[in-house]
Amino acid sequence: AEAYGVPQSTLQERINGCQPNAIAHQQPQQLTPEQEQFLHVKYIKGLTEQHLPPTRQMIQNFATEIAGDEVSESWVTCFLNRHTD
């Protein structure tokens, strides 16, 4: 810590796997309610009606395309919890 001019606690946190505050407090990528509705109706229901239920990876890919920025796996989990049907 001394060699790099950082507090001992900061170095210990990094060693323990903690994220820097700037990263830990970033908001997760989200879609607007309208974009979520589009994802739900256009992609998911459409595929399901064709007996092709989408995988989590497919949902993540579709959401990323709609958002214009990558959404996380945890976002997919939250999305599925919000849209249990």
Side-chain angles (χ1 to χ4, degrees):
E2 193 174 308
Y4 291 99
V6 297
Q8 177 85 24
S9 61
T10 300
L11 184 58
Q12 190 61 48
E13 288 173 358
R14 298 304 182 273
I15 291 169
N16 291 334
C18 294
Q19 296 178 335
N21 286 340
I23 294 172
H25 296 293
Q26 287 178 344
Q27 285 219 337
Q29 175 64 41
Q30 295 183 15
L31 276 65
T32 65
E34 294 80 15
Q35 289 172 320
E36 278 199 22
Q37 184 67 16
F38 180 77
L39 173 67
H40 187 247
V41 173
K42 169 95 170 152
Y43 287 112
I44 297 172
K45 283 191 173 186
L47 287 171
T48 303
E49 287 171 0
Q50 297 175 36
H51 304 286
L52 300 167
T55 64
R56 293 177 61 87
Q57 184 63 52
M58 290 169 70
I59 293 171
Q60 186 175 10
N61 291 344
F62 294 149
T64 295
E65 183 179 325
I66 292 168
D69 195 12
E70 187 169 350
V71 298
S72 66
E73 290 181 30
S74 62
W75 182 90
V76 174
T77 299
C78 293
F79 175 82
L80 292 173
N81 288 337
R82 285 191 300 275
H83 300 278
T84 57
D85 60 329

